[in-house]
Amino acid sequence: MSLVNTNWLEKNLDKVKIIDCSWHMPQTQRNGFDEYKNKHIKNAIFFDLVKNSKKDTDLPHMLIDAKSWEGIVSNMGIKNDAQIVIYDNSDVISSCRCWYNFIYFGHDPSLVHVLDGGLKKWINEKKPTFNNLTNTISSNYTANEKKGLVKNKKQIDENINLNKFQVIDARSRERFEGKVPEPRKGLRSGSIKNSFCLPFSELINEDYTFISKEKILDKFKLIKIKPNKNVVFTCGSGVTASVLALAYSIIDIKYKPTIYDGSWSEYGNN
């Protein structure tokens, strides 16, 4: 159950840990934390996608080390057996990246959920919001890093010849085909050789909920994923790749989300 709906969350507010992981593309000039301070779901804790990523790199949103992750989650007051619901107020459904991070660092996937439709749907349904900062009591969280759930550039390059897994790109078709410039400076246009394109936006309805399981399956069938073939997702910086990973987990409950962490920010670097 990767997704939960707004009614379910409203009934279970006091039984789960709630995370606001709103992150916006730089060109939007929006600040997730400022918006969180103004309006969020009761008891929500803010997760800063930029601050909680690897520091000693120019690449955005790279996974941090396990010890740092333990400190971040412990400071949020989240325990290893906590049931977690993550939401966002972002056009790029950034909550899915936080979902992936928790699974990568060993949290039980059955306990990590994304709020379908996010804060937008919650507000549209006139459900209550708050502007007070949520108090937390530190825990002693322990990470269990699943290194097989991430790919690096060397593995991506080797796979072009070995073809051990299929690479699916969540960026727009225009970016994938190199018809428009990349939003980040210094990146060439184009895509990874032999990769496929499935824009994450095609899996999202107008109200920011995911399309139905049947429609998700149809979208992936168009890519002709081979039976028993591993699937690795990529995008610009590892955020919308996680949207595809979550969607794929809906149609394959045994799938363990696997991301090329550097994504095009690394691969397309001139």
Side-chain angles (χ1 to χ4, degrees):
M1 189 174 69
S2 300
L3 293 174
V4 295
N5 62 43
T6 50
N7 290 332
W8 184 93
L9 179 57
E10 189 174 39
K11 293 175 183 176
N12 292 277
L13 279 174
D14 297 321
K15 299 177 183 177
V16 299
K17 286 290 186 178
I18 305 169
I19 297 174
D20 183 323
C21 182
S22 297
W23 174 82
H24 308 287
M25 291 290 285
Q27 60 265 33
T28 65
Q29 297 184 334
R30 294 174 61 187
N31 183 286
F33 185 56
D34 287 345
E35 292 179 4
Y36 162 82
K37 288 187 292 185
N38 182 56
K39 188 177 295 184
H40 58 258
I41 296 173
K42 181 183 178 183
N43 297 333
I45 309 161
F46 188 74
F47 182 92
D48 193 315
L49 202 54
V50 175
K51 290 183 179 179
N52 294 334
S53 297
K54 191 175 182 180
K55 300 291 192 298
D56 57 343
T57 178
D58 293 332
L59 299 174
H61 312 135
M62 296 290 285
L63 289 162
I64 57 173
D65 61 278
K67 186 176 181 180
S68 297
W69 179 259
E70 289 175 342
I72 290 166
V73 179
S74 294
N75 288 336
M76 295 171 71
I78 296 175
K79 298 179 181 179
N80 282 83
D81 61 353
Q83 187 162 202
I84 301 168
V85 176
I86 309 163
Y87 74 86
D88 65 71
N89 189 26
S90 170
D91 295 339
V92 293
I93 323 298
S94 51
S95 52
C96 294
R97 176 64 195 209
C98 187
W99 167 85
Y100 166 74
N101 285 13
F102 268 96
I103 294 173
Y104 174 83
F105 284 109
H107 208 89
D108 184 343
S110 69
L111 297 176
V112 190
H113 319 286
V114 166
L115 179 63
D116 202 17
L119 188 64
K120 293 182 180 72
K121 191 169 189 291
W122 185 272
I123 291 173
N124 287 341
E125 293 172 352
K126 295 181 169 46
K127 295 185 183 336
T129 59
F130 299 79
N131 60 12
N132 61 307
L133 295 180
T134 301
N135 293 321
T136 60
I137 300 174
S138 295
S139 65
N140 188 23
Y141 192 88
T142 302
N144 180 17
E145 199 169 2
K146 308 292 184 183
K147 294 186 178 181
L149 301 187
V150 69
K151 299 295 182 185
N152 58 37
K153 187 176 185 297
K154 182 174 181 290
Q155 292 169 308
I156 295 295
D157 280 333
E158 290 174 347
N159 187 67
I160 291 173
N161 293 320
L162 298 176
N163 195 29
K164 289 185 176 181
F165 52 83
Q166 286 183 262
V167 178
I168 303 178
D169 196 321
R171 295 175 300 155
S172 69
R173 297 190 188 281
E174 291 78 12
R175 289 173 66 187
F176 180 84
E177 295 169 1
K179 295 179 179 179
V180 296
E182 284 294 304
R184 289 183 175 84
K185 294 181 180 179
L187 299 182
R188 68 179 184 272
S189 299
S191 54
I192 298 167
K193 185 177 180 181
N194 298 337
S195 62
F196 298 84
C197 181
L198 176 54
F200 82 94
S201 59
E202 294 186 8
L203 303 180
I204 306 298
N205 293 310
E206 289 185 6
D207 65 352
Y208 291 91
T209 58
F210 278 78
I211 61 177
S212 68
K213 179 178 179 179
E214 292 73 24
K215 289 181 179 179
I216 291 173
L217 183 59
D218 288 341
K219 291 287 184 181
F220 279 101
K221 280 182 177 178
L222 292 175
I223 300 174
K224 297 180 180 178
I225 294 175
K226 297 176 182 177
N228 302 316
K229 177 76 82 172
N230 292 326
V231 182
V232 175
F233 296 103
T234 184
C235 59
S237 67
V239 175
T240 58
S242 303
V243 178
L244 291 191
L246 187 142
Y248 198 68
S249 76
I250 293 172
I251 60 174
D252 183 354
I253 59 174
K254 294 182 179 179
Y255 175 69
K256 297 178 180 178
T258 308
I259 304 293
Y260 169 30
D261 207 21
S263 283
W264 195 250
S265 292
E266 178 179 45
Y267 208 90
N269 196 316
N270 288 323

PDB file of all heavy atoms in Angstrom, residues 188-210:
ATOM      1  N   ARG A 188      24.152  19.070 -20.985  1.00  0.00           N
ATOM      2  CA  ARG A 188      23.782  18.905 -22.387  1.00  0.00           C
ATOM      3  C   ARG A 188      22.367  18.332 -22.461  1.00  0.00           C
ATOM      4  O   ARG A 188      21.852  17.799 -21.481  1.00  0.00           O
ATOM      5  CB  ARG A 188      24.769  17.988 -23.094  1.00  0.00           C
ATOM      6  CG  ARG A 188      24.737  16.528 -22.655  1.00  0.00           C
ATOM      7  CD  ARG A 188      25.755  15.705 -23.444  1.00  0.00           C
ATOM      8  NE  ARG A 188      25.680  14.281 -23.104  1.00  0.00           N
ATOM      9  CZ  ARG A 188      26.339  13.700 -22.134  1.00  0.00           C
ATOM     10  NH1 ARG A 188      27.125  14.438 -21.359  1.00  0.00           N
ATOM     11  NH2 ARG A 188      26.215  12.402 -21.896  1.00  0.00           N
ATOM     12  N   SER A 189      21.770  18.428 -23.607  1.00  0.00           N
ATOM     13  CA  SER A 189      20.442  17.862 -23.810  1.00  0.00           C
ATOM     14  C   SER A 189      20.564  16.421 -24.280  1.00  0.00           C
ATOM     15  O   SER A 189      21.586  16.018 -24.830  1.00  0.00           O
ATOM     16  CB  SER A 189      19.660  18.686 -24.833  1.00  0.00           C
ATOM     17  OG  SER A 189      19.484  20.009 -24.380  1.00  0.00           O
ATOM     18  N   GLY A 190      19.508  15.642 -24.058  1.00  0.00           N
ATOM     19  CA  GLY A 190      19.514  14.269 -24.529  1.00  0.00           C
ATOM     20  C   GLY A 190      19.174  13.275 -23.448  1.00  0.00           C
ATOM     21  O   GLY A 190      18.531  13.620 -22.448  1.00  0.00           O
ATOM     22  N   SER A 191      19.618  12.030 -23.637  1.00  0.00           N
ATOM     23  CA  SER A 191      19.247  10.963 -22.712  1.00  0.00           C
ATOM     24  C   SER A 191      20.281   9.844 -22.738  1.00  0.00           C
ATOM     25  O   SER A 191      21.166   9.811 -23.597  1.00  0.00           O
ATOM     26  CB  SER A 191      17.866  10.407 -23.081  1.00  0.00           C
ATOM     27  OG  SER A 191      17.840   9.998 -24.438  1.00  0.00           O
ATOM     28  N   ILE A 192      20.162   8.928 -21.805  1.00  0.00           N
ATOM     29  CA  ILE A 192      21.060   7.783 -21.706  1.00  0.00           C
ATOM     30  C   ILE A 192      20.763   6.804 -22.844  1.00  0.00           C
ATOM     31  O   ILE A 192      19.602   6.498 -23.120  1.00  0.00           O
ATOM     32  CB  ILE A 192      20.888   7.091 -20.346  1.00  0.00           C
ATOM     33  CG1 ILE A 192      21.253   8.052 -19.208  1.00  0.00           C
ATOM     34  CG2 ILE A 192      21.739   5.819 -20.263  1.00  0.00           C
ATOM     35  CD1 ILE A 192      20.826   7.578 -17.840  1.00  0.00           C
ATOM     36  N   LYS A 193      21.809   6.316 -23.486  1.00  0.00           N
ATOM     37  CA  LYS A 193      21.633   5.390 -24.607  1.00  0.00           C
ATOM     38  C   LYS A 193      20.824   4.167 -24.182  1.00  0.00           C
ATOM     39  O   LYS A 193      21.048   3.603 -23.109  1.00  0.00           O
ATOM     40  CB  LYS A 193      23.005   4.955 -25.130  1.00  0.00           C
ATOM     41  CG  LYS A 193      22.926   4.091 -26.380  1.00  0.00           C
ATOM     42  CD  LYS A 193      24.319   3.737 -26.897  1.00  0.00           C
ATOM     43  CE  LYS A 193      24.244   2.867 -28.139  1.00  0.00           C
ATOM     44  NZ  LYS A 193      25.594   2.508 -28.639  1.00  0.00           N
ATOM     45  N   ASN A 194      19.882   3.781 -25.011  1.00  0.00           N
ATOM     46  CA  ASN A 194      19.018   2.598 -24.813  1.00  0.00           C
ATOM     47  C   ASN A 194      18.006   2.753 -23.687  1.00  0.00           C
ATOM     48  O   ASN A 194      17.343   1.783 -23.313  1.00  0.00           O
ATOM     49  CB  ASN A 194      19.849   1.327 -24.570  1.00  0.00           C
ATOM     50  CG  ASN A 194      20.734   0.970 -25.747  1.00  0.00           C
ATOM     51  OD1 ASN A 194      20.467   1.366 -26.874  1.00  0.00           O
ATOM     52  ND2 ASN A 194      21.820   0.245 -25.479  1.00  0.00           N
ATOM     53  N   SER A 195      17.880   3.953 -23.127  1.00  0.00           N
ATOM     54  CA  SER A 195      16.871   4.165 -22.086  1.00  0.00           C
ATOM     55  C   SER A 195      15.518   4.461 -22.730  1.00  0.00           C
ATOM     56  O   SER A 195      15.422   4.722 -23.935  1.00  0.00           O
ATOM     57  CB  SER A 195      17.278   5.307 -21.152  1.00  0.00           C
ATOM     58  OG  SER A 195      17.393   6.536 -21.854  1.00  0.00           O
ATOM     59  N   PHE A 196      14.481   4.408 -21.925  1.00  0.00           N
ATOM     60  CA  PHE A 196      13.117   4.652 -22.391  1.00  0.00           C
ATOM     61  C   PHE A 196      12.564   5.870 -21.665  1.00  0.00           C
ATOM     62  O   PHE A 196      13.010   6.216 -20.566  1.00  0.00           O
ATOM     63  CB  PHE A 196      12.220   3.446 -22.109  1.00  0.00           C
ATOM     64  CG  PHE A 196      12.650   2.202 -22.815  1.00  0.00           C
ATOM     65  CD1 PHE A 196      13.632   1.379 -22.271  1.00  0.00           C
ATOM     66  CD2 PHE A 196      12.075   1.827 -24.022  1.00  0.00           C
ATOM     67  CE1 PHE A 196      14.029   0.218 -22.908  1.00  0.00           C
ATOM     68  CE2 PHE A 196      12.472   0.658 -24.666  1.00  0.00           C
ATOM     69  CZ  PHE A 196      13.457  -0.148 -24.114  1.00  0.00           C
ATOM     70  N   CYS A 197      11.573   6.492 -22.248  1.00  0.00           N
ATOM     71  CA  CYS A 197      10.974   7.679 -21.643  1.00  0.00           C
ATOM     72  C   CYS A 197       9.533   7.413 -21.225  1.00  0.00           C
ATOM     73  O   CYS A 197       8.719   6.931 -22.012  1.00  0.00           O
ATOM     74  CB  CYS A 197      11.007   8.851 -22.629  1.00  0.00           C
ATOM     75  SG  CYS A 197      10.326  10.389 -21.964  1.00  0.00           S
ATOM     76  N   LEU A 198       9.243   7.723 -19.970  1.00  0.00           N
ATOM     77  CA  LEU A 198       7.867   7.728 -19.471  1.00  0.00           C
ATOM     78  C   LEU A 198       7.734   8.952 -18.564  1.00  0.00           C
ATOM     79  O   LEU A 198       8.072   8.885 -17.381  1.00  0.00           O
ATOM     80  CB  LEU A 198       7.529   6.453 -18.703  1.00  0.00           C
ATOM     81  CG  LEU A 198       6.137   6.400 -18.055  1.00  0.00           C
ATOM     82  CD1 LEU A 198       5.044   6.685 -19.067  1.00  0.00           C
ATOM     83  CD2 LEU A 198       5.907   5.053 -17.385  1.00  0.00           C
ATOM     84  N   PRO A 199       7.291  10.090 -19.095  1.00  0.00           N
ATOM     85  CA  PRO A 199       7.181  11.301 -18.279  1.00  0.00           C
ATOM     86  C   PRO A 199       6.307  11.063 -17.050  1.00  0.00           C
ATOM     87  O   PRO A 199       5.191  10.544 -17.167  1.00  0.00           O
ATOM     88  CB  PRO A 199       6.545  12.307 -19.233  1.00  0.00           C
ATOM     89  CG  PRO A 199       6.907  11.815 -20.602  1.00  0.00           C
ATOM     90  CD  PRO A 199       6.880  10.320 -20.483  1.00  0.00           C
ATOM     91  N   PHE A 200       6.816  11.420 -15.881  1.00  0.00           N
ATOM     92  CA  PHE A 200       6.065  11.176 -14.645  1.00  0.00           C
ATOM     93  C   PHE A 200       4.706  11.851 -14.685  1.00  0.00           C
ATOM     94  O   PHE A 200       3.740  11.358 -14.091  1.00  0.00           O
ATOM     95  CB  PHE A 200       6.866  11.671 -13.433  1.00  0.00           C
ATOM     96  CG  PHE A 200       6.746  13.147 -13.165  1.00  0.00           C
ATOM     97  CD1 PHE A 200       5.805  13.629 -12.261  1.00  0.00           C
ATOM     98  CD2 PHE A 200       7.542  14.066 -13.836  1.00  0.00           C
ATOM     99  CE1 PHE A 200       5.671  14.988 -12.030  1.00  0.00           C
ATOM    100  CE2 PHE A 200       7.421  15.419 -13.606  1.00  0.00           C
ATOM    101  CZ  PHE A 200       6.485  15.889 -12.695  1.00  0.00           C
ATOM    102  N   SER A 201       4.611  12.979 -15.400  1.00  0.00           N
ATOM    103  CA  SER A 201       3.358  13.733 -15.449  1.00  0.00           C
ATOM    104  C   SER A 201       2.225  12.927 -16.078  1.00  0.00           C
ATOM    105  O   SER A 201       1.048  13.185 -15.814  1.00  0.00           O
ATOM    106  CB  SER A 201       3.561  15.037 -16.226  1.00  0.00           C
ATOM    107  OG  SER A 201       4.011  14.770 -17.546  1.00  0.00           O
ATOM    108  N   GLU A 202       2.565  11.922 -16.890  1.00  0.00           N
ATOM    109  CA  GLU A 202       1.537  11.099 -17.518  1.00  0.00           C
ATOM    110  C   GLU A 202       0.878  10.141 -16.528  1.00  0.00           C
ATOM    111  O   GLU A 202      -0.138   9.516 -16.835  1.00  0.00           O
ATOM    112  CB  GLU A 202       2.137  10.311 -18.682  1.00  0.00           C
ATOM    113  CG  GLU A 202       2.594  11.192 -19.839  1.00  0.00           C
ATOM    114  CD  GLU A 202       3.043  10.392 -21.048  1.00  0.00           C
ATOM    115  OE1 GLU A 202       2.850   9.152 -21.045  1.00  0.00           O
ATOM    116  OE2 GLU A 202       3.579  10.997 -21.995  1.00  0.00           O
ATOM    117  N   LEU A 203       1.458  10.020 -15.337  1.00  0.00           N
ATOM    118  CA  LEU A 203       0.906   9.130 -14.317  1.00  0.00           C
ATOM    119  C   LEU A 203       0.120   9.878 -13.258  1.00  0.00           C
ATOM    120  O   LEU A 203      -0.359   9.277 -12.295  1.00  0.00           O
ATOM    121  CB  LEU A 203       2.041   8.352 -13.645  1.00  0.00           C
ATOM    122  CG  LEU A 203       2.924   7.526 -14.578  1.00  0.00           C
ATOM    123  CD1 LEU A 203       4.008   6.808 -13.784  1.00  0.00           C
ATOM    124  CD2 LEU A 203       2.094   6.513 -15.349  1.00  0.00           C
ATOM    125  N   ILE A 204      -0.009  11.196 -13.432  1.00  0.00           N
ATOM    126  CA  ILE A 204      -0.630  12.045 -12.416  1.00  0.00           C
ATOM    127  C   ILE A 204      -1.885  12.715 -12.981  1.00  0.00           C
ATOM    128  O   ILE A 204      -1.851  13.307 -14.063  1.00  0.00           O
ATOM    129  CB  ILE A 204       0.354  13.118 -11.919  1.00  0.00           C
ATOM    130  CG1 ILE A 204       1.660  12.463 -11.435  1.00  0.00           C
ATOM    131  CG2 ILE A 204      -0.267  13.964 -10.820  1.00  0.00           C
ATOM    132  CD1 ILE A 204       1.500  11.515 -10.260  1.00  0.00           C
ATOM    133  N   ASN A 205      -2.993  12.634 -12.234  1.00  0.00           N
ATOM    134  CA  ASN A 205      -4.234  13.298 -12.622  1.00  0.00           C
ATOM    135  C   ASN A 205      -4.172  14.795 -12.343  1.00  0.00           C
ATOM    136  O   ASN A 205      -3.233  15.295 -11.709  1.00  0.00           O
ATOM    137  CB  ASN A 205      -5.412  12.694 -11.835  1.00  0.00           C
ATOM    138  CG  ASN A 205      -5.697  11.253 -12.214  1.00  0.00           C
ATOM    139  OD1 ASN A 205      -5.816  10.928 -13.391  1.00  0.00           O
ATOM    140  ND2 ASN A 205      -5.810  10.390 -11.216  1.00  0.00           N
ATOM    141  N   GLU A 206      -5.198  15.512 -12.787  1.00  0.00           N
ATOM    142  CA  GLU A 206      -5.248  16.960 -12.573  1.00  0.00           C
ATOM    143  C   GLU A 206      -5.300  17.336 -11.100  1.00  0.00           C
ATOM    144  O   GLU A 206      -4.848  18.410 -10.709  1.00  0.00           O
ATOM    145  CB  GLU A 206      -6.453  17.569 -13.308  1.00  0.00           C
ATOM    146  CG  GLU A 206      -6.298  17.584 -14.825  1.00  0.00           C
ATOM    147  CD  GLU A 206      -7.442  18.304 -15.511  1.00  0.00           C
ATOM    148  OE1 GLU A 206      -8.295  18.888 -14.794  1.00  0.00           O
ATOM    149  OE2 GLU A 206      -7.487  18.302 -16.751  1.00  0.00           O
ATOM    150  N   ASP A 207      -5.845  16.454 -10.267  1.00  0.00           N
ATOM    151  CA  ASP A 207      -5.923  16.750  -8.831  1.00  0.00           C
ATOM    152  C   ASP A 207      -4.699  16.222  -8.074  1.00  0.00           C
ATOM    153  O   ASP A 207      -4.699  16.146  -6.849  1.00  0.00           O
ATOM    154  CB  ASP A 207      -7.214  16.173  -8.222  1.00  0.00           C
ATOM    155  CG  ASP A 207      -7.245  14.649  -8.255  1.00  0.00           C
ATOM    156  OD1 ASP A 207      -6.348  14.031  -8.878  1.00  0.00           O
ATOM    157  OD2 ASP A 207      -8.175  14.069  -7.665  1.00  0.00           O
ATOM    158  N   TYR A 208      -3.650  15.879  -8.826  1.00  0.00           N
ATOM    159  CA  TYR A 208      -2.361  15.432  -8.280  1.00  0.00           C
ATOM    160  C   TYR A 208      -2.420  14.039  -7.652  1.00  0.00           C
ATOM    161  O   TYR A 208      -1.472  13.637  -6.973  1.00  0.00           O
ATOM    162  CB  TYR A 208      -1.786  16.457  -7.297  1.00  0.00           C
ATOM    163  CG  TYR A 208      -1.343  17.726  -7.993  1.00  0.00           C
ATOM    164  CD1 TYR A 208      -2.217  18.797  -8.153  1.00  0.00           C
ATOM    165  CD2 TYR A 208      -0.070  17.832  -8.534  1.00  0.00           C
ATOM    166  CE1 TYR A 208      -1.832  19.943  -8.821  1.00  0.00           C
ATOM    167  CE2 TYR A 208       0.328  18.980  -9.213  1.00  0.00           C
ATOM    168  CZ  TYR A 208      -0.553  20.026  -9.348  1.00  0.00           C
ATOM    169  OH  TYR A 208      -0.172  21.167 -10.027  1.00  0.00           O
ATOM    170  N   THR A 209      -3.486  13.310  -7.869  1.00  0.00           N
ATOM    171  CA  THR A 209      -3.503  11.899  -7.494  1.00  0.00           C
ATOM    172  C   THR A 209      -2.887  11.079  -8.624  1.00  0.00           C
ATOM    173  O   THR A 209      -2.791  11.539  -9.770  1.00  0.00           O
ATOM    174  CB  THR A 209      -4.944  11.406  -7.245  1.00  0.00           C
ATOM    175  OG1 THR A 209      -5.720  11.625  -8.440  1.00  0.00           O
ATOM    176  CG2 THR A 209      -5.581  12.132  -6.068  1.00  0.00           C
ATOM    177  N   PHE A 210      -2.480   9.856  -8.297  1.00  0.00           N
ATOM    178  CA  PHE A 210      -1.979   8.951  -9.324  1.00  0.00           C
ATOM    179  C   PHE A 210      -3.141   8.402 -10.145  1.00  0.00           C
ATOM    180  O   PHE A 210      -4.247   8.249  -9.636  1.00  0.00           O
ATOM    181  CB  PHE A 210      -1.221   7.782  -8.677  1.00  0.00           C
ATOM    182  CG  PHE A 210       0.203   8.106  -8.308  1.00  0.00           C
ATOM    183  CD1 PHE A 210       0.486   8.848  -7.175  1.00  0.00           C
ATOM    184  CD2 PHE A 210       1.260   7.683  -9.100  1.00  0.00           C
ATOM    185  CE1 PHE A 210       1.789   9.156  -6.824  1.00  0.00           C
ATOM    186  CE2 PHE A 210       2.567   7.981  -8.769  1.00  0.00           C
ATOM    187  CZ  PHE A 210       2.840   8.718  -7.624  1.00  0.00           C
TER     188      PHE A 210
END
